[in-house]
């Protein structure tokens, strides 16, 4: 039944994405607010890979050339920022180039995609702090900061080791993952968003709430990044500690979900004035795709738990958070939350939510070409 469900959703997605192609055009989308119109951010922004990544998934699933043609230019577009003065390229080059250059090379054999993917991997490896064993986040003066989101970006380093034969990439990725095990993932399976280290000595200093409610909260999108990122790390290394961590975070996530399986923006946010906290459909989509990865990695007797919960999340997103009856809406999912503590991008559509929803639906339908 789940494959039939996914196949039916893909039939709805194709005309939807075709409309998005016309509506979005050359824009670099990040957020669509109440009017349903996606904004146009710079291609150096961390979300610039998700729209072309969505198109590459659609091409891989359908074989339709229009998706490949629309996605083709994006790795070249983002690459220009390596030689421009800017403050945006940072740890998220994994998101930007895995979903453009790497998938382009994987699907088509394009040599420039290979070159650009390795260029991005070298850039990411250059952000590694050997004293603390972490990849530095962002480009501010917080030289000792690392974030849980980067667990997704290190897949770029594992890919680079495979295609280049150079083990330094995977060594850096695994050291960063071990730091995340020690300082980000708590014993109960909840997750810190930001951790600060002394950049000189590598000593742990403190954790911050970041986009979560507070230092000891459980930001739902951070939980999703950890589920998926740790599962990827196990798949790339075969080291059981990473799978155990992915499962621990997944169990916390699943146990904390509300009835409709789409999380609030933070599992530990305090209710105020009797009003319901905002949901985050993007966290749901990311977690669903990550849970499907765990289901592929564990024994069959365990897999049903993760697979069925991913299926339930996707059903709920499809039935209650989709824009199927809104042809002028440029996004797929509604009710995403970007940064609640900053009061930024609440009750909106987010391009990464759209991407991971399409990716997860494709996986249930049988798609095997995982980008991460």
């Amino acid at each position: 039944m789940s494959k039939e469900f996914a196949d039916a959703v893909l039939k709805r997605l194709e005309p939807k994405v075709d409309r998005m192609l016309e509506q979005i055009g050359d824009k670099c989308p990040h957020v669509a607010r109440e009017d349903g119109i996606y904004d146009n951010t710079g291609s150096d922004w961390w979300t610039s890979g998700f729209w072309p990544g969505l198109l590459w998934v659609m091409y891989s699933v359908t074989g339709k050339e229009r998706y490949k043609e629309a996605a083709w230019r994006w790795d070249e577009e983002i690459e220009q920022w390596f030689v421009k003065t800017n403050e945006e390229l940072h740890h998220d080059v994994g998101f930007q180039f895995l979903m453009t250059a790497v998938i382009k090379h994987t699907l088509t054999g394009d040599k420039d995609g290979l070159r650009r993917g390795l260029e991005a991997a070298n850039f990411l490896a250059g952000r590694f702090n050997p004293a603390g064993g972490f990849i530095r986040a962002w480009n501010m003066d917080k030289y000792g900061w690392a974030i849980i989101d980067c667990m997704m970006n290190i897949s770029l380093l594992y890919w680079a080791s495979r295609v280049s034969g150079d083990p330094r990439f995977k060594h850096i990725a695994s050291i960063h993952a071990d730091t995340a095990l020690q300082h980000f993932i708590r014993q109960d399976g909840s997750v810190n968003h930001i951790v600060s280290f002394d950049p000189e000595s590598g000593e742990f200093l403190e954790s911050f709430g970041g986009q979560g409610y507070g230092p000891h909260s459980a930001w739902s999108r951070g939980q999703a990044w950890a589920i998926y990122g740790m599962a990827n790390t196990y798949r790339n290394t075969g080291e059981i500690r990473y799978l155990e961590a992915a499962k621990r975070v997944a169990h916390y996530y699943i146990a904390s979900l509300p009835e409709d399986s789409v999380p609030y923006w933070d599992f530990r946010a305090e209710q105020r004035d009797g009003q319901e906290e905002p949901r985050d459909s993007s966290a749901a989509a990311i977690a669903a795709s990550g849970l499907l990865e765990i289901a592929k990695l564990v024994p069959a007797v365990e897999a049903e738990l993760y697979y069925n919960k991913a299926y339930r999340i996707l059903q709920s997103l499809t039935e209650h958070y989709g824009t199927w009856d809104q042809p002028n809406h440029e996004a797929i999912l509604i009710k995403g939350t970007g940064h609640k503590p900053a009061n930024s991008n609440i009750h909106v559509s987010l391009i990464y939510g759209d991407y991971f929803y399409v990716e997860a639906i494709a996986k249930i339908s049988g798609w095997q070409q995982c980008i991460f």
Side-chain angles (χ1 to χ4, degrees):
M1 288 295 293
S2 59
K3 187 179 186 308
E4 293 177 7
F5 158 77
D7 289 346
V9 174
L10 282 172
K11 288 181 180 178
R12 301 174 78 181
L13 275 172
E14 190 168 345
K16 173 65 178 178
V17 177
D18 286 348
R19 284 197 303 274
M20 292 170 74
L21 276 173
E22 297 178 3
Q23 294 164 330
I24 292 174
D26 291 332
K27 291 193 298 186
C28 185
H30 173 205
V31 179
R33 295 181 173 81
E34 289 185 4
D35 62 2
I37 306 302
Y38 261 124
D39 62 358
N40 184 20
T41 61
S43 57
D44 55 342
W45 188 241
W46 76 275
T47 59
S48 59
F50 290 103
W51 170 235
L54 187 157
L55 295 172
W56 279 118
V57 174
M58 291 298 294
Y59 167 69
S60 184
V61 170
T62 69
K64 301 294 177 62
E65 289 291 315
R66 59 180 174 270
Y67 301 128
K68 181 178 79 171
E69 291 168 0
W72 189 268
R73 70 177 179 88
W74 279 97
D75 58 326
E76 181 178 3
E77 169 70 22
I78 301 169
E79 182 194 26
Q80 67 176 308
W81 294 105
F82 283 125
V83 295
K84 288 186 175 182
T85 300
N86 83 101
E87 290 296 326
E88 294 303 338
L89 291 187
H90 44 61
H91 61 277
D92 279 329
V93 291
F95 282 133
Q96 292 169 297
F97 285 89
L98 281 164
M99 291 182 289
T100 57
V102 172
I103 190 64
K104 179 183 186 178
H105 171 258
T106 302
L107 294 178
T108 72
D110 181 69
K111 292 181 180 179
D112 283 328
L114 175 64
R115 176 182 59 78
R116 291 173 183 134
L118 288 172
E119 180 181 20
N122 274 299
F123 177 89
L124 185 60
R127 300 182 67 83
F128 180 68
N129 182 310
F134 63 89
I135 294 170
R136 177 194 170 193
W138 299 310
N139 291 333
M140 302 175 293
D141 61 351
K142 307 297 190 294
Y143 302 109
W145 281 21
I147 60 174
I148 193 61
D149 318 39
C150 198
M151 282 302 304
M152 295 293 288
N153 289 292
I154 64 174
S155 291
L156 178 66
L157 300 179
Y158 288 118
W159 168 82
S161 270
R162 288 195 301 274
V163 299
S164 70
D166 188 339
R168 69 190 173 98
F169 295 111
K170 68 179 181 181
H171 294 329
I172 289 172
S174 294
I175 293 170
H176 178 89
D178 285 338
T179 299
L181 285 179
Q182 182 177 1
H183 294 293
F184 283 86
I185 298 177
R186 308 182 187 115
Q187 286 299 311
D188 66 354
S190 62
V191 175
N192 291 315
H193 180 202
I194 303 173
V195 171
S196 175
F197 302 90
D198 183 309
E200 185 66 40
S201 69
E203 178 186 1
F204 168 80
L205 298 177
E206 60 183 321
S207 62
F208 300 101
Q211 287 170 259
Y213 178 74
H216 305 292
S217 64
W219 177 48
S220 60
R221 192 159 69 247
Q223 298 288 135
W225 293 139
I227 291 168
Y228 201 159
M230 283 294 171
N232 288 343
T233 304
Y234 172 71
R235 175 166 43 81
N236 280 292
T237 66
E239 297 290 341
I240 193 65
R241 63 185 179 276
Y242 302 128
L243 180 59
E244 291 173 346
K247 290 164 63 176
R248 187 162 81 249
V249 179
H251 297 165
Y252 181 94
Y253 184 97
I254 292 169
S256 302
L257 286 173
E259 186 175 351
D260 75 346
S261 295
V262 174
Y264 298 103
W265 69 280
D266 191 303
F267 291 123
R268 291 177 176 162
E270 294 181 3
Q271 299 289 319
R272 298 185 178 183
D273 302 323
Q275 294 184 353
E276 184 177 78
E277 291 290 327
R279 303 297 182 104
D280 186 5
S281 58
S282 75
I286 296 160
S289 202
L291 290 169
L292 291 173
E293 289 304 307
I294 297 177
K296 293 189 295 186
L297 298 169
V298 298
V301 68
E302 296 181 48
E304 187 175 3
L305 166 68
Y306 306 104
Y307 186 91
N308 286 348
K309 179 48 68 174
Y311 177 39
R312 173 67 188 111
I313 291 169
L314 294 170
Q315 282 184 309
S316 185
L317 288 174
T318 302
E319 294 169 8
H320 305 299
Y321 295 79
T323 61
W324 313 111
D325 59 348
Q326 302 176 56
N328 293 325
H329 201 297
E330 295 180 0
I332 299 170
L333 298 179
I334 59 172
K335 296 187 179 180
T337 297
H339 193 337
K340 178 65 164 59
N343 199 33
S344 174
N345 297 328
I346 302 167
H347 298 302
V348 297
S349 298
L350 297 162
I351 192 61
Y352 42 90
D354 287 356
Y355 168 79
F356 284 104
Y357 173 75
V358 171
E359 181 189 78
I361 290 292
K363 287 179 182 179
I364 286 187
S365 183
W367 183 64
Q368 298 295 321
Q369 187 60 64
C370 180
I371 290 179
F372 292 94

